[in-house]
Amino acid sequence: MLFAIISEDVTDSLQKRLSARPAHLQRLQELQDAGRLVLAGPHPAIESDNPGEAGFTGSLVVAEFTSLQAAQHWADADPYVAAGVYAAVTVKPFKKVFP
């Protein structure tokens, strides 16, 4: 089943994000290589693809996991969690309708 992992950043998270980004992206690449990643990306703090120093306010990952518990375990092990990037992480079942 698909699950949405919705994360909200702490204030001024940009430097923490940058330091943990390579490890974070590696985990996403592993999901993609396994054919389980639907989409992933950050929420810019301003209306721009490249928000610069404004940074980001959170992230969204939609991927396939065997259970809610497995999705939660994967989310809990995110390098952004360990680096203190996220203030909150919500994991929910997701049903893709379009496209």
Side-chain angles (χ1 to χ4, degrees):
M1 174 164 205
L2 294 178
F3 292 88
I5 301 170
I6 306 151
S7 306
E8 296 179 37
D9 282 22
V10 299
T11 303
D12 298 322
S13 63
L14 185 58
Q15 291 309 312
K16 292 177 183 179
R17 270 182 170 271
L18 293 174
S19 67
R21 189 169 190 261
H24 173 77
L25 292 179
Q26 177 60 39
R27 293 181 80 235
L28 291 169
Q29 186 64 55
E30 291 168 8
L31 281 179
Q32 183 168 315
D33 291 347
R36 297 171 42 207
L37 183 64
V38 174
L39 65 90
H43 302 285
I46 60 173
E47 198 173 323
S48 172
D49 285 342
N50 298 304
E53 290 299 314
F56 300 91
T57 62
S59 301
L60 171 64
V61 174
V62 177
E64 183 179 345
F65 293 93
T66 57
S67 66
L68 178 60
Q69 182 180 11
Q72 186 68 60
H73 179 73
W74 187 90
D76 290 344
D78 193 310
Y80 280 177
V81 171
V85 172
Y86 295 146
V89 177
T90 303
V91 180
K92 298 179 177 185
F94 180 81
K95 180 180 176 186
K96 182 179 176 186
V97 176
F98 291 103

Coordinates of all heavy atoms in Angstrom, one line a residue:
M1 N 0.8 -1.2 0.0 CA 0.0 0.0 0.0 C 0.9 1.2 0.0 O 2.0 1.2 0.5 CB -0.9 0.0 1.2 CG -1.7 1.2 1.4 SD -3.1 1.0 2.5 CE -4.1 2.3 1.9
L2 N 0.3 2.3 -0.5 CA 1.0 3.6 -0.5 C 0.8 4.3 0.8 O -0.3 4.2 1.4 CB 0.6 4.5 -1.6 CG 0.9 4.0 -3.1 CD1 0.3 5.0 -4.1 CD2 2.4 3.8 -3.3
F3 N 1.8 5.1 1.2 CA 1.8 5.9 2.4 C 2.4 7.2 2.1 O 3.3 7.4 1.4 CB 2.5 5.2 3.6 CG 1.9 4.0 4.1 CD1 2.2 2.8 3.5 CD2 0.9 4.0 5.1 CE1 1.5 1.6 3.9 CE2 0.3 2.8 5.5 CZ 0.6 1.6 4.9
A4 N 1.8 8.3 2.7 CA 2.3 9.6 2.6 C 3.0 9.9 3.9 O 2.5 9.7 5.0 CB 1.1 10.6 2.4
I5 N 4.2 10.4 3.8 CA 5.0 10.8 4.9 C 5.1 12.4 4.8 O 5.8 12.9 3.9 CB 6.4 10.2 4.9 CG1 6.2 8.6 5.0 CG2 7.3 10.7 6.1 CD1 7.5 7.9 4.7
I6 N 4.5 13.0 5.7 CA 4.4 14.5 5.7 C 5.2 15.1 6.9 O 4.8 14.8 8.0 CB 2.9 14.9 5.8 CG1 2.1 14.2 4.7 CG2 2.7 16.4 5.7 CD1 0.6 14.0 5.1
S7 N 6.2 15.8 6.6 CA 7.1 16.3 7.6 C 7.1 17.8 7.7 O 7.0 18.5 6.6 CB 8.5 15.8 7.3 OG 8.5 14.4 7.2
E8 N 7.2 18.3 8.9 CA 7.2 19.8 9.1 C 8.6 20.1 9.7 O 9.0 19.5 10.7 CB 6.1 20.2 10.0 CG 4.7 20.0 9.4 CD 3.6 20.5 10.4 OE1 3.8 21.5 11.1 OE2 2.6 19.8 10.4
D9 N 9.2 21.1 9.1 CA 10.6 21.5 9.6 C 10.5 22.4 10.9 O 9.5 23.1 11.1 CB 11.3 22.4 8.6 CG 11.9 21.5 7.4 OD1 11.4 20.4 7.2 OD2 12.8 22.1 6.8
V10 N 11.6 22.3 11.6 CA 11.8 23.3 12.7 C 12.1 24.6 12.1 O 12.4 24.7 10.9 CB 12.9 22.8 13.7 CG1 12.6 21.5 14.3 CG2 14.3 22.8 12.9
T11 N 12.1 25.7 12.9 CA 12.4 27.0 12.4 C 13.9 27.0 12.0 O 14.7 26.4 12.7 CB 12.1 28.1 13.5 OG1 10.7 28.0 13.8 CG2 12.4 29.5 13.0
D12 N 14.3 27.7 10.9 CA 15.7 27.8 10.5 C 16.3 26.5 10.3 O 17.4 26.3 10.8 CB 16.4 28.7 11.5 CG 15.9 30.1 11.6 OD1 15.5 30.7 10.5 OD2 15.9 30.7 12.7
S13 N 15.7 25.6 9.6 CA 16.2 24.3 9.4 C 17.3 24.1 8.2 O 17.8 23.0 8.1 CB 15.1 23.3 9.1 OG 14.4 23.7 7.8
L14 N 17.5 25.2 7.5 CA 18.2 25.0 6.2 C 19.6 24.4 6.4 O 20.0 23.5 5.7 CB 18.4 26.4 5.5 CG 19.1 26.3 4.1 CD1 18.3 25.4 3.2 CD2 19.1 27.7 3.5
Q15 N 20.4 24.9 7.4 CA 21.8 24.3 7.6 C 21.7 22.9 8.0 O 22.5 22.1 7.6 CB 22.6 25.2 8.6 CG 22.9 26.6 8.0 CD 23.6 26.5 6.7 OE1 24.5 25.7 6.4 NE2 23.1 27.3 5.7
K16 N 20.8 22.5 8.8 CA 20.6 21.1 9.2 C 20.2 20.3 8.0 O 20.7 19.2 7.9 CB 19.5 21.0 10.3 CG 19.9 21.6 11.6 CD 18.7 21.5 12.6 CE 19.1 22.2 13.9 NZ 18.0 22.2 14.9
R17 N 19.3 20.8 7.2 CA 18.9 20.1 6.0 C 20.2 19.8 5.1 O 20.4 18.7 4.6 CB 17.9 20.9 5.2 CG 16.5 20.7 5.5 CD 15.6 21.5 4.6 NE 14.2 21.1 4.8 CZ 13.7 20.1 4.1 NH1 14.3 19.5 3.1 NH2 12.4 19.8 4.3
L18 N 20.9 20.9 4.9 CA 22.1 20.8 4.0 C 23.1 19.7 4.5 O 23.6 19.0 3.7 CB 22.8 22.1 3.8 CG 21.9 23.2 3.0 CD1 22.6 24.5 3.0 CD2 21.6 22.7 1.6
S19 N 23.3 19.7 5.8 CA 24.3 18.7 6.3 C 23.8 17.3 6.2 O 24.6 16.4 6.0 CB 24.6 19.0 7.7 OG 23.5 18.8 8.6
A20 N 22.5 17.0 6.3 CA 22.0 15.7 6.3 C 21.4 15.3 4.9 O 21.1 14.1 4.7 CB 20.8 15.5 7.3
R21 N 21.4 16.2 3.9 CA 20.8 15.9 2.6 C 21.4 14.7 1.9 O 20.6 13.9 1.3 CB 20.9 17.2 1.8 CG 20.1 17.1 0.5 CD 20.0 18.5 -0.2 NE 19.0 18.4 -1.3 CZ 19.4 18.3 -2.6 NH1 20.6 18.2 -2.9 NH2 18.4 18.3 -3.5
P22 N 22.7 14.5 1.8 CA 23.2 13.4 1.0 C 22.7 12.1 1.6 O 22.2 11.2 0.8 CB 24.7 13.5 1.2 CG 25.0 15.0 1.4 CD 23.8 15.4 2.2
A23 N 22.6 11.9 2.8 CA 22.1 10.6 3.4 C 20.6 10.5 3.2 O 20.1 9.4 2.9 CB 22.5 10.5 4.9
H24 N 19.9 11.6 3.3 CA 18.4 11.6 3.1 C 18.1 11.2 1.6 O 17.3 10.4 1.4 CB 17.9 13.0 3.4 CG 16.5 13.3 3.0 ND1 15.5 12.8 3.8 CD2 15.9 13.9 2.0 CE1 14.3 13.2 3.2 NE2 14.6 13.9 2.2
L25 N 18.9 11.8 0.7 CA 18.6 11.5 -0.7 C 19.0 10.1 -1.1 O 18.4 9.4 -1.9 CB 19.4 12.5 -1.6 CG 19.0 13.9 -1.6 CD1 19.9 14.8 -2.5 CD2 17.5 14.1 -2.0
Q26 N 20.0 9.5 -0.4 CA 20.4 8.1 -0.6 C 19.3 7.2 -0.3 O 19.0 6.2 -1.0 CB 21.7 7.8 0.2 CG 22.1 6.3 0.0 CD 22.4 5.9 -1.4 OE1 23.0 6.7 -2.1 NE2 22.0 4.7 -1.8
R27 N 18.6 7.4 0.8 CA 17.5 6.6 1.2 C 16.3 6.7 0.2 O 15.7 5.7 -0.1 CB 17.0 7.0 2.6 CG 18.0 6.7 3.7 CD 17.5 7.0 5.1 NE 16.6 6.0 5.5 CZ 15.4 6.2 5.9 NH1 14.8 7.4 5.9 NH2 14.7 5.2 6.4
L28 N 16.1 7.9 -0.3 CA 15.0 8.0 -1.3 C 15.4 7.3 -2.6 O 14.6 6.7 -3.2 CB 14.8 9.5 -1.5 CG 14.1 10.3 -0.4 CD1 14.1 11.8 -0.7 CD2 12.7 9.8 -0.2
Q29 N 16.7 7.4 -2.9 CA 17.2 6.7 -4.1 C 17.0 5.2 -4.0 O 16.6 4.5 -5.0 CB 18.7 7.0 -4.4 CG 19.2 6.5 -5.7 CD 18.5 7.1 -6.9 OE1 18.5 8.3 -7.1 NE2 17.9 6.2 -7.8
E30 N 17.2 4.7 -2.8 CA 17.0 3.2 -2.6 C 15.5 2.9 -2.8 O 15.2 1.8 -3.4 CB 17.5 2.8 -1.2 CG 19.0 2.9 -1.0 CD 19.4 2.8 0.4 OE1 18.6 2.6 1.3 OE2 20.6 3.0 0.6
L31 N 14.6 3.7 -2.3 CA 13.2 3.5 -2.6 C 12.9 3.5 -4.1 O 12.1 2.7 -4.6 CB 12.3 4.5 -1.8 CG 12.0 4.3 -0.4 CD1 11.2 5.5 0.2 CD2 11.4 3.0 0.0
Q32 N 13.5 4.5 -4.7 CA 13.2 4.6 -6.2 C 13.8 3.4 -6.9 O 13.1 2.9 -7.8 CB 13.8 5.9 -6.7 CG 13.6 6.1 -8.2 CD 13.9 7.5 -8.7 OE1 13.6 8.4 -8.0 NE2 14.6 7.5 -9.8
D33 N 15.0 3.0 -6.6 CA 15.6 1.8 -7.2 C 14.8 0.6 -7.0 O 14.8 -0.3 -7.9 CB 17.0 1.6 -6.7 CG 18.0 2.7 -7.1 OD1 17.6 3.5 -8.0 OD2 19.1 2.8 -6.6
A34 N 14.1 0.5 -5.9 CA 13.2 -0.7 -5.6 C 11.8 -0.5 -6.3 O 11.0 -1.4 -6.1 CB 13.1 -0.9 -4.1
G35 N 11.6 0.6 -7.0 CA 10.3 0.8 -7.6 C 9.2 1.1 -6.7 O 8.0 1.0 -7.0
R36 N 9.5 1.6 -5.5 CA 8.5 1.9 -4.4 C 8.2 3.4 -4.2 O 7.3 3.7 -3.5 CB 9.0 1.3 -3.1 CG 9.1 -0.2 -3.2 CD 9.7 -0.8 -2.0 NE 9.3 -0.3 -0.7 CZ 10.1 -0.2 0.4 NH1 11.3 -0.8 0.4 NH2 9.6 0.3 1.5
L37 N 9.0 4.3 -4.8 CA 8.8 5.7 -4.6 C 7.9 6.3 -5.7 O 8.1 6.1 -6.9 CB 10.2 6.4 -4.7 CG 10.2 7.9 -4.4 CD1 9.7 8.2 -3.0 CD2 11.6 8.5 -4.6
V38 N 6.8 7.0 -5.2 CA 5.9 7.6 -6.2 C 6.4 9.1 -6.4 O 6.4 9.5 -7.5 CB 4.5 7.6 -5.6 CG1 3.5 8.4 -6.5 CG2 4.0 6.2 -5.5
L39 N 6.6 9.8 -5.3 CA 7.2 11.1 -5.4 C 7.8 11.6 -4.1 O 7.5 11.0 -3.0 CB 6.1 12.1 -5.8 CG 4.9 12.4 -4.9 CD1 5.2 13.5 -3.9 CD2 3.7 12.7 -5.7
A40 N 8.7 12.5 -4.1 CA 9.3 13.1 -2.9 C 9.8 14.5 -3.2 O 10.3 14.7 -4.3 CB 10.4 12.2 -2.5
G41 N 9.8 15.3 -2.2 CA 10.3 16.6 -2.4 C 10.0 17.5 -1.2 O 9.1 17.2 -0.4
P42 N 10.7 18.7 -1.1 CA 10.5 19.6 0.0 C 9.4 20.6 -0.4 O 9.0 20.8 -1.5 CB 11.8 20.3 0.1 CG 12.3 20.3 -1.3 CD 11.8 19.0 -1.9
H43 N 8.9 21.3 0.7 CA 8.0 22.5 0.5 C 8.8 23.7 0.7 O 9.2 24.1 1.8 CB 6.9 22.4 1.6 CG 6.1 21.2 1.6 ND1 5.1 20.9 0.7 CD2 6.1 20.1 2.4 CE1 4.6 19.7 0.9 NE2 5.2 19.2 2.0
P44 N 9.1 24.5 -0.4 CA 9.8 25.7 -0.2 C 9.1 26.7 0.7 O 7.8 26.8 0.7 CB 9.9 26.3 -1.7 CG 9.7 25.1 -2.5 CD 8.7 24.2 -1.8
A45 N 9.8 27.5 1.4 CA 9.2 28.5 2.4 C 8.6 29.7 1.6 O 7.8 30.4 2.2 CB 10.3 28.9 3.4
I46 N 9.1 29.9 0.4 CA 8.5 30.9 -0.4 C 8.1 30.4 -1.8 O 8.5 29.2 -2.1 CB 9.5 32.1 -0.6 CG1 10.8 31.6 -1.3 CG2 9.8 32.8 0.7 CD1 11.8 32.7 -1.7
E47 N 7.4 31.1 -2.6 CA 7.0 30.7 -3.9 C 8.1 30.7 -4.9 O 8.2 31.6 -5.7 CB 5.8 31.6 -4.3 CG 5.0 31.0 -5.4 CD 3.7 31.9 -5.7 OE1 3.2 32.4 -4.7 OE2 3.4 32.0 -6.8
S48 N 9.0 29.7 -4.8 CA 10.1 29.6 -5.6 C 10.7 28.2 -5.6 O 10.7 27.5 -4.6 CB 11.2 30.5 -5.2 OG 12.4 30.3 -5.9
D49 N 11.1 27.7 -6.8 CA 11.8 26.3 -6.8 C 13.1 26.4 -6.1 O 13.6 25.3 -5.6 CB 12.0 25.9 -8.3 CG 10.7 25.4 -8.9 OD1 9.7 25.1 -8.2 OD2 10.7 25.4 -10.2
N50 N 13.7 27.5 -6.0 CA 15.0 27.7 -5.4 C 14.9 28.8 -4.3 O 15.2 30.0 -4.6 CB 16.1 28.0 -6.4 CG 16.3 26.9 -7.4 OD1 16.6 25.8 -7.0 ND2 16.1 27.2 -8.7
P51 N 14.4 28.5 -3.1 CA 14.1 29.5 -2.1 C 15.3 30.1 -1.4 O 15.2 31.1 -0.6 CB 13.2 28.8 -1.1 CG 13.7 27.4 -1.2 CD 14.1 27.2 -2.6
G52 N 16.5 29.7 -1.8 CA 17.7 30.2 -1.2 C 17.7 30.2 0.3 O 17.3 29.2 0.9
E53 N 18.1 31.3 1.0 CA 18.1 31.3 2.4 C 16.8 31.2 3.1 O 16.7 30.9 4.3 CB 18.8 32.6 2.9 CG 20.3 32.7 2.6 CD 21.1 31.6 3.3 OE1 20.9 31.4 4.5 OE2 21.9 30.9 2.6
A54 N 15.7 31.4 2.4 CA 14.3 31.2 3.0 C 14.1 29.8 3.4 O 13.4 29.5 4.3 CB 13.3 31.7 2.0
G55 N 14.8 28.9 2.6 CA 14.8 27.4 3.0 C 13.4 26.8 2.7 O 12.7 27.1 1.8
F56 N 13.1 25.8 3.6 CA 12.0 24.9 3.4 C 11.2 24.8 4.6 O 11.7 25.0 5.7 CB 12.4 23.5 2.9 CG 13.2 23.6 1.6 CD1 14.6 23.8 1.6 CD2 12.5 23.6 0.4 CE1 15.3 23.9 0.4 CE2 13.2 23.7 -0.8 CZ 14.6 23.8 -0.8
T57 N 9.9 24.4 4.5 CA 9.1 24.3 5.7 C 8.7 22.8 6.0 O 8.1 22.6 7.0 CB 7.7 25.1 5.5 OG1 7.0 24.5 4.4 CG2 8.0 26.5 5.3
G58 N 9.1 21.9 5.1 CA 8.8 20.5 5.3 C 9.0 19.7 4.1 O 9.6 20.2 3.1
S59 N 8.6 18.5 4.1 CA 8.8 17.5 3.0 C 7.6 16.6 2.9 O 6.8 16.4 3.8 CB 10.0 16.7 3.2 OG 11.2 17.4 3.4
L60 N 7.5 16.1 1.7 CA 6.4 15.1 1.4 C 7.1 13.9 0.7 O 7.8 14.1 -0.3 CB 5.3 15.6 0.5 CG 4.3 14.6 0.0 CD1 3.5 14.0 1.1 CD2 3.4 15.3 -1.0
V61 N 6.8 12.7 1.1 CA 7.3 11.5 0.5 C 6.0 10.6 0.3 O 5.3 10.4 1.3 CB 8.3 10.7 1.3 CG1 8.7 9.4 0.7 CG2 9.6 11.5 1.5
V62 N 5.8 10.1 -0.9 CA 4.7 9.1 -1.1 C 5.4 7.9 -1.6 O 6.1 7.9 -2.7 CB 3.6 9.6 -2.0 CG1 2.6 8.5 -2.3 CG2 3.0 10.8 -1.5
A63 N 5.3 6.7 -0.9 CA 6.0 5.5 -1.3 C 5.2 4.3 -0.8 O 4.3 4.4 0.0 CB 7.4 5.5 -0.7
E64 N 5.6 3.2 -1.4 CA 4.9 1.9 -1.1 C 5.7 1.2 0.1 O 6.9 1.1 0.1 CB 4.9 1.0 -2.3 CG 4.3 -0.3 -2.1 CD 4.3 -1.2 -3.3 OE1 4.6 -0.7 -4.4 OE2 4.0 -2.4 -3.2
F65 N 4.9 0.8 1.1 CA 5.4 0.0 2.2 C 4.5 -1.1 2.5 O 3.3 -1.1 2.1 CB 5.5 0.9 3.5 CG 6.6 2.0 3.3 CD1 6.2 3.3 2.9 CD2 7.9 1.8 3.6 CE1 7.2 4.3 2.7 CE2 8.9 2.8 3.5 CZ 8.5 4.0 3.1
T66 N 4.9 -2.1 3.2 CA 4.1 -3.3 3.5 C 3.0 -3.0 4.5 O 2.0 -3.7 4.6 CB 5.0 -4.5 3.9 OG1 5.7 -4.1 5.1 CG2 5.9 -4.9 2.8
S67 N 3.3 -2.0 5.4 CA 2.3 -1.7 6.4 C 2.6 -0.2 6.9 O 3.6 0.3 6.7 CB 2.5 -2.6 7.6 OG 3.7 -2.5 8.2
L68 N 1.6 0.3 7.7 CA 1.8 1.6 8.3 C 3.0 1.5 9.3 O 3.8 2.4 9.3 CB 0.5 1.9 9.1 CG 0.6 3.3 9.9 CD1 0.8 4.4 9.0 CD2 -0.7 3.5 10.6
Q69 N 3.2 0.4 10.0 CA 4.3 0.3 10.9 C 5.6 0.3 10.1 O 6.6 1.0 10.6 CB 4.2 -1.0 11.7 CG 5.3 -1.2 12.7 CD 5.2 -2.6 13.4 OE1 4.3 -3.4 13.1 NE2 6.0 -2.7 14.4
A70 N 5.7 -0.3 9.0 CA 6.9 -0.3 8.2 C 7.2 1.1 7.7 O 8.3 1.6 7.7 CB 6.8 -1.2 7.0
A71 N 6.1 1.8 7.2 CA 6.3 3.2 6.8 C 6.8 4.1 7.9 O 7.6 5.0 7.7 CB 5.0 3.7 6.2
Q72 N 6.2 3.9 9.1 CA 6.6 4.7 10.3 C 8.0 4.5 10.7 O 8.8 5.4 11.0 CB 5.6 4.4 11.4 CG 5.9 5.3 12.6 CD 5.5 6.8 12.4 OE1 4.4 7.1 12.1 NE2 6.5 7.7 12.5
H73 N 8.4 3.2 10.6 CA 9.8 2.8 10.9 C 10.8 3.5 10.0 O 11.8 4.0 10.4 CB 9.9 1.3 10.9 CG 11.3 0.8 11.2 ND1 11.9 0.9 12.5 CD2 12.2 0.3 10.4 CE1 13.1 0.4 12.4 NE2 13.3 0.1 11.2
W74 N 10.4 3.5 8.7 CA 11.3 4.1 7.7 C 11.4 5.6 7.9 O 12.4 6.2 7.9 CB 10.7 3.8 6.3 CG 11.6 4.3 5.2 CD1 12.6 3.6 4.6 CD2 11.7 5.6 4.6 NE1 13.3 4.4 3.6 CE2 12.7 5.6 3.6 CE3 10.9 6.8 4.8 CZ2 13.0 6.7 2.8 CZ3 11.2 7.9 4.0 CH2 12.2 7.8 3.0
A75 N 10.2 6.2 8.2 CA 10.2 7.7 8.5 C 11.0 8.0 9.7 O 11.8 9.0 9.7 CB 8.8 8.2 8.6
D76 N 10.9 7.2 10.8 CA 11.6 7.5 12.0 C 13.2 7.4 11.8 O 13.9 8.0 12.6 CB 11.2 6.5 13.1 CG 9.8 6.7 13.6 OD1 9.2 7.8 13.3 OD2 9.3 5.8 14.2
A77 N 13.6 6.6 10.8 CA 15.0 6.4 10.6 C 15.6 7.5 9.6 O 16.8 7.4 9.2 CB 15.3 5.0 10.1
D78 N 14.8 8.4 9.2 CA 15.3 9.4 8.2 C 16.4 10.2 8.8 O 16.3 10.7 9.9 CB 14.1 10.4 7.8 CG 14.4 11.2 6.6 OD1 15.5 11.9 6.6 OD2 13.6 11.3 5.7
P79 N 17.5 10.5 8.0 CA 18.6 11.3 8.5 C 18.2 12.7 8.9 O 18.8 13.3 9.8 CB 19.6 11.3 7.4 CG 19.3 10.0 6.7 CD 17.8 9.8 6.8
Y80 N 17.1 13.2 8.3 CA 16.6 14.5 8.7 C 16.0 14.5 10.1 O 16.1 15.5 10.8 CB 15.5 15.0 7.7 CG 16.1 15.6 6.4 CD1 15.2 16.0 5.4 CD2 17.4 15.8 6.2 CE1 15.6 16.6 4.3 CE2 17.9 16.3 5.0 CZ 17.0 16.7 4.1 OH 17.5 17.3 2.9
V81 N 15.5 13.4 10.5 CA 15.0 13.2 11.9 C 16.2 13.3 12.9 O 16.2 14.0 13.8 CB 14.2 11.9 12.1 CG1 13.9 11.7 13.6 CG2 12.9 12.0 11.3
A82 N 17.2 12.5 12.6 CA 18.4 12.5 13.4 C 19.1 13.8 13.5 O 19.6 14.2 14.5 CB 19.4 11.4 12.9
A83 N 19.0 14.6 12.4 CA 19.7 15.9 12.4 C 18.9 17.0 13.0 O 19.3 18.1 13.1 CB 20.1 16.2 10.9
G84 N 17.6 16.7 13.4 CA 16.8 17.7 14.0 C 16.1 18.6 13.0 O 15.7 19.7 13.4
V85 N 16.0 18.2 11.8 CA 15.4 19.0 10.7 C 13.9 19.1 11.0 O 13.3 20.2 10.8 CB 15.6 18.5 9.3 CG1 14.8 19.2 8.3 CG2 17.1 18.6 9.0
Y86 N 13.3 18.0 11.3 CA 11.8 17.9 11.4 C 11.3 18.2 12.9 O 11.8 17.6 13.8 CB 11.3 16.6 11.0 CG 11.5 16.3 9.5 CD1 11.8 15.0 9.1 CD2 11.5 17.3 8.6 CE1 12.0 14.7 7.8 CE2 11.7 17.0 7.2 CZ 11.9 15.7 6.8 OH 12.1 15.4 5.5
A87 N 10.3 19.0 13.0 CA 9.6 19.2 14.2 C 8.5 18.1 14.4 O 8.2 17.8 15.5 CB 9.0 20.6 14.3
A88 N 7.9 17.7 13.3 CA 6.8 16.7 13.4 C 6.8 15.9 12.1 O 7.1 16.4 11.0 CB 5.5 17.4 13.5
V89 N 6.5 14.6 12.2 CA 6.3 13.7 11.0 C 5.0 13.0 11.2 O 4.8 12.3 12.2 CB 7.5 12.8 10.9 CG1 7.3 11.8 9.7 CG2 8.8 13.5 10.8
T90 N 4.2 13.0 10.1 CA 2.9 12.3 10.1 C 3.0 11.3 9.0 O 3.4 11.6 7.9 CB 1.8 13.3 9.9 OG1 1.8 14.3 10.9 CG2 0.4 12.5 9.9
V91 N 2.6 10.0 9.3 CA 2.6 9.0 8.3 C 1.1 8.5 8.2 O 0.5 8.2 9.2 CB 3.5 7.8 8.7 CG1 3.4 6.7 7.6 CG2 4.9 8.3 8.9
K92 N 0.6 8.5 6.9 CA -0.8 8.2 6.7 C -0.9 7.3 5.5 O -0.1 7.4 4.5 CB -1.6 9.4 6.4 CG -1.7 10.4 7.4 CD -2.6 11.6 6.9 CE -2.8 12.6 7.9 NZ -3.7 13.7 7.4
P93 N -1.9 6.3 5.5 CA -2.1 5.6 4.2 C -2.5 6.6 3.1 O -3.1 7.6 3.4 CB -3.3 4.7 4.6 CG -3.2 4.6 6.1 CD -2.7 5.9 6.6
F94 N -2.2 6.3 1.9 CA -2.5 7.2 0.8 C -3.1 6.3 -0.4 O -2.5 5.3 -0.7 CB -1.2 7.8 0.3 CG -1.3 8.8 -0.8 CD1 -1.8 10.1 -0.6 CD2 -1.0 8.4 -2.1 CE1 -2.0 11.0 -1.7 CE2 -1.2 9.3 -3.2 CZ -1.6 10.6 -3.0
K95 N -4.1 6.8 -1.0 CA -4.7 6.2 -2.1 C -4.5 7.1 -3.4 O -5.1 8.2 -3.4 CB -6.2 5.9 -1.9 CG -6.8 5.2 -3.1 CD -8.3 5.0 -2.9 CE -8.8 4.3 -4.2 NZ -10.3 4.2 -4.1
K96 N -3.7 6.6 -4.3 CA -3.5 7.4 -5.5 C -4.7 7.2 -6.4 O -5.1 6.1 -6.8 CB -2.2 6.9 -6.2 CG -1.9 7.7 -7.5 CD -0.6 7.1 -8.1 CE -0.3 7.9 -9.4 NZ 0.8 7.3 -10.1
V97 N -5.3 8.3 -6.9 CA -6.4 8.3 -7.8 C -6.0 8.8 -9.2 O -6.3 8.3 -10.2 CB -7.6 9.1 -7.2 CG1 -8.7 9.2 -8.2 CG2 -8.0 8.5 -5.9
F98 N -5.3 9.9 -9.2 CA -4.8 10.5 -10.5 C -3.3 10.8 -10.3 O -2.8 11.1 -9.3 CB -5.4 11.9 -10.7 CG -6.9 11.8 -11.1 CD1 -7.8 12.1 -10.2 CD2 -7.3 11.4 -12.4 CE1 -9.2 12.0 -10.5 CE2 -8.6 11.3 -12.7 CZ -9.6 11.7 -11.8
P99 N -2.5 10.8 -11.4 CA -2.8 10.3 -12.7 C -2.8 8.8 -12.7 O -2.2 8.1 -12.0 CB -1.7 10.8 -13.6 CG -0.5 11.0 -12.7 CD -1.1 11.3 -11.4

